[in-house]
Amino acid sequence: MYEDECIKSTEDYYLLCDTEGPWATVLEALAAIGIAVTILLLLAFLFLMRRVQDCSHWNVLPTQFLFLLGVLGLFSLAFAFIAPFSEQTAPVRYFLFGVFFALCFSCLLAHAFNLVRLVRDRVSYSWLTVLGIAIGASLLQIVIAIEYVTLIMTRGLTFMHMTLCQLNLDFVVLLVYVLFLMALTFFVSKATFCGPCDNWKKHGKLIFVTVLVSIIIWVVWISMLMRGNPQLAACCSQQHPQWDDPIICIGLVSNAWVFLLLYVIPELCILFRASRQDCPPPGIACTVPTYQRNLCVENQELSRARDSDGAEEDVALTSHGAPIQLQNVDPTQEYIIPRAKLSSQQDAGL
């Protein structure tokens, strides 16, 4: 009775209310929970954006907020794969799948580039620069997806008239740039392990682990889509593979949860601790390397310089070896410059 009403009311979207298909029910639940959790995390990031005082932490917050919007889009896109393949769902699948993943990996790449500077005790990029890197890196995937969908929709051969092998091949080929972003983010995140500032390396480790697990997920679902499912259908004497949509949807939802559990939630915990601290003054945020400390000590010991007449005079130097500006000296105050005293042996020699 319920099944007949479900078919009659939803027609093409029967799987959205099908209780006999376990994969659809489980993925619907995971996607719905993921949407709710992502919305809560978005609100938490908005709250922390007003409390974080550390400039280096705050500059990446807009990019992480954009990353969460991409994750929210991934969870929402799962329902397009649960619904049967049709003229309405096909363009949504082929366009948004690569775009949302390109946006997420571009945000991770921008964060990794910023961490490469921070672990080397350099100044962080501005929030506009980090956000611009993330958006700019994802634009190419948007152009590729628009070109493909427009080409398919305007020519005579539509999605419904393409063979299953051609559909799967085109779907994977459209994601080549996403795979490039994934590999680039992986190697850039490894570069964050090299540097004197250990307090920033934990962010790089989160990105590294997140991208590594994502690579494993992508290798599995692409292998199953291109090789495993056709062989399974041949063994079961089926004309068409029955697990193409579930495989892609499982990879989509699992990767979105990886983004939340391995990157967003740990970053949120770090930001919450950082929100209780003030912006550290320059030079205290991380330990100065040994060779820089030795150079500063040597500069401080160089307290004598020669004037234009060749005579020696005492010059005060800063910790970086730069002389103090004379404009900062009060001319009305008397200063006593100590002269070097010679030992008795040196005096006798003269």
Side-chain angles (χ1 to χ4, degrees):
M1 179 66 179
Y2 174 79
E3 183 178 355
D4 296 336
E5 293 178 357
C6 181
I7 297 175
K8 184 177 179 180
S9 60
T10 59
E11 295 180 353
D12 290 341
Y13 303 96
Y14 162 66
L15 288 176
L16 294 177
C17 66
D18 182 19
T19 57
E20 295 183 0
W23 71 270
T25 305
V26 172
L27 291 177
E28 278 184 41
L30 290 176
I33 295 173
I35 291 174
V37 173
T38 306
I39 292 175
L40 293 177
L41 292 175
L42 282 170
L43 296 177
F45 267 91
L46 285 176
F47 175 74
L48 288 177
M49 287 179 71
R50 303 186 60 181
R51 298 191 59 183
V52 174
Q53 300 297 324
D54 190 347
C55 309
S56 299
H57 280 103
W58 196 95
N59 287 338
V60 79
L61 280 180
T63 304
Q64 291 177 329
F65 187 83
L66 181 64
F67 177 84
L68 272 175
L69 292 178
V71 175
L72 181 63
L74 290 177
F75 282 122
S76 303
L77 184 61
F79 294 95
F81 287 91
I82 297 175
F85 188 83
S86 64
E87 288 290 350
Q88 291 75 30
T89 60
V92 176
R93 294 182 182 186
Y94 279 77
F95 179 76
L96 292 181
F97 190 92
V99 169
F100 283 142
F101 270 111
L103 182 62
C104 292
F105 286 116
S106 297
C107 292
L108 294 177
L109 180 62
H111 191 188
F113 273 129
N114 191 49
L115 290 174
V116 170
R117 291 177 60 90
L118 291 174
V119 297
R120 286 163 174 78
D121 195 19
R122 298 178 183 176
V123 181
S124 170
Y125 289 120
S126 65
W127 69 271
L128 282 175
T129 302
V130 180
L131 189 61
I133 293 174
I135 297 176
S138 61
L139 283 179
L140 182 57
Q141 180 62 33
I142 297 176
V143 174
I144 294 173
I146 291 176
E147 288 287 342
Y148 177 81
V149 173
T150 304
L151 182 64
I152 294 296
M153 299 298 291
T154 54
R155 70 181 185 178
L157 183 61
T158 60
F159 288 103
M160 301 305 296
H161 295 89
M162 298 173 64
T163 63
L164 189 61
C165 180
Q166 186 177 1
L167 286 171
N168 292 340
L169 182 61
D170 288 358
F171 189 80
V172 174
V173 170
L174 276 176
L175 303 174
V176 170
Y177 181 68
V178 180
L179 295 173
F180 168 75
L181 286 177
M182 197 184 310
L184 182 60
T185 308
F186 178 78
F187 289 110
V188 174
S189 63
K190 289 183 64 177
T192 60
F193 300 159
C194 304
C197 296
D198 294 334
N199 55 331
W200 293 109
K201 292 182 181 179
K202 54 188 176 182
H203 299 272
K205 293 178 181 178
L206 293 177
I207 298 176
F208 177 80
V209 174
T210 301
V211 177
L212 179 61
V213 177
S214 299
I215 291 175
I216 296 174
I217 293 175
W218 277 60
V219 169
V220 171
W221 76 257
I222 291 178
S223 300
M224 287 295 299
L225 183 66
M226 301 303 296
R227 294 292 182 181
N229 284 354
Q231 293 178 2
L232 182 62
C235 294
C236 299
S237 300
Q238 296 177 355
Q239 186 177 1
H240 299 289
Q242 302 295 323
W243 288 93
D244 286 350
D245 290 348
I247 286 297
I248 300 176
C249 192
I250 290 172
L252 171 67
V253 174
S254 60
N255 207 160
W257 273 107
V258 165
F259 287 152
L260 290 184
L261 298 178
L262 298 184
Y263 176 72
V264 176
I265 295 179
E267 281 287 334
L268 187 65
C269 297
I270 295 174
L271 289 174
F272 180 75
R273 291 193 295 266
S275 64
R276 300 182 177 182
Q277 302 175 359
D278 296 331
C279 186
I284 302 180
C286 90
T287 306
V288 181
T290 306
Y291 66 89
Q292 292 186 6
R293 290 200 299 266
N294 295 337
L295 182 61
C296 294
V297 173
E298 292 176 1
N299 289 335
Q300 290 176 349
E301 293 178 353
L302 298 176
S303 59
R304 305 191 65 83
R306 294 184 178 275
D307 58 6
S308 58
D309 296 332
E312 292 185 349
E313 61 179 359
D314 292 326
V315 179
L317 299 178
T318 63
S319 60
H320 299 285
I324 299 176
Q325 299 294 332
L326 296 178
Q327 289 81 355
N328 298 332
V329 180
D330 187 4
T332 60
Q333 186 176 356
E334 296 182 358
Y335 295 92
I336 300 176
I337 302 177
R339 295 295 180 182
K341 296 182 180 180
L342 300 177
S343 62
S344 57
Q345 296 178 356
Q346 293 175 340
D347 194 8
L350 294 176

